[in-house]
Amino acid sequence: MKHSVKFLDRYLTVTGDEKVITYLDITETDESEGIAQGELLEAVNQLKKYASGEKINFDLKLEPQGTHFQKQVWKAMCEIPYGETRTYGDLAKAIGHPKAFRAVGGACNRNPISIVQPCHRVVGVKGLTGFFGGLDLKEKLLNFEKR
């Protein structure tokens, strides 16, 4: 089941069920289906707080699909505080693979639960780098969290 929350000029569309969250995308349209219940409802409530500008540490039951390495990276991303950034190298060190910064970038690129697993807070040593929604959206997200 999916449910969307209005955010800036787009929607945060979260997918899950009563027990877990499996996917979150930034979409152009409201893709809500049915009534959110359980963990999906909790995700919607937390995303509404985030969208309103509240500094929130998401506390959701996540079940992203990926490799063991990707899951390590996604978990490390969740440790980046609201309004702060870390480099790909920082994350590589945090998961015990200090030379794997390119692989960390690949894991960020495949992050299925954006915003909650905040890949937008991961940058290159020289500044902003790729983001599935484009660098303009990444910059908007970082500026949104810094205000």
Side-chain angles (χ1 to χ4, degrees), residues 14 17-18 21 36-49 56-61:
V14 62
D17 58 28
E18 292 181 16
I21 301 306
Q37 297 178 357
E39 198 64 11
L40 185 58
L41 178 59
E42 183 59 30
V44 168
N45 290 336
Q46 289 183 32
L47 287 168
K48 283 180 180 178
K49 288 179 182 179
I56 185 167
N57 293 317
F58 291 100
D59 184 21
L60 299 167
K61 295 176 185 113

Side-chain angles (χ1 to χ4, degrees), residues 1-125:
M1 186 171 294
K2 294 181 184 182
H3 199 82
S4 299
V5 173
K6 184 75 170 157
F7 177 69
L8 299 174
D9 58 346
R10 301 181 188 190
Y11 291 87
L12 303 176
T13 299
V14 62
T15 303
D17 58 28
E18 292 181 16
K19 296 180 181 177
V20 297
I21 301 306
T22 57
Y23 192 77
L24 191 145
D25 197 6
I26 300 173
T27 60
E28 298 290 327
T29 58
D30 184 342
E31 297 181 6
S32 297
E33 301 171 342
I35 299 171
Q37 297 178 357
E39 198 64 11
L40 185 58
L41 178 59
E42 183 59 30
V44 168
N45 290 336
Q46 289 183 32
L47 287 168
K48 283 180 180 178
K49 288 179 182 179
Y50 177 82
S52 74
E54 186 175 324
K55 288 184 179 182
I56 185 167
N57 293 317
F58 291 100
D59 184 21
L60 299 167
K61 295 176 185 113
L62 306 178
E63 197 171 281
Q65 298 301 305
T67 67
H68 176 72
F69 181 83
Q70 289 169 335
K71 289 178 183 181
Q72 286 182 302
V73 172
W74 300 334
K75 184 176 180 184
M77 283 190 301
C78 292
E79 301 298 318
I80 304 171
Y82 184 101
E84 295 184 21
T85 59
R86 298 291 184 271
T87 66
Y88 297 102
D90 292 336
L91 259 62
K93 290 174 192 166
I95 63 169
H97 298 279
K99 294 182 181 182
F101 54 91
R102 284 194 179 108
V104 166
C108 289
N109 185 47
R110 290 173 184 80
N111 177 16
I113 308 177
S114 60
I115 306 297
V116 175
Q117 295 179 156
C119 53
H120 62 281
R121 296 179 190 158
V122 185
V123 298
V125 292

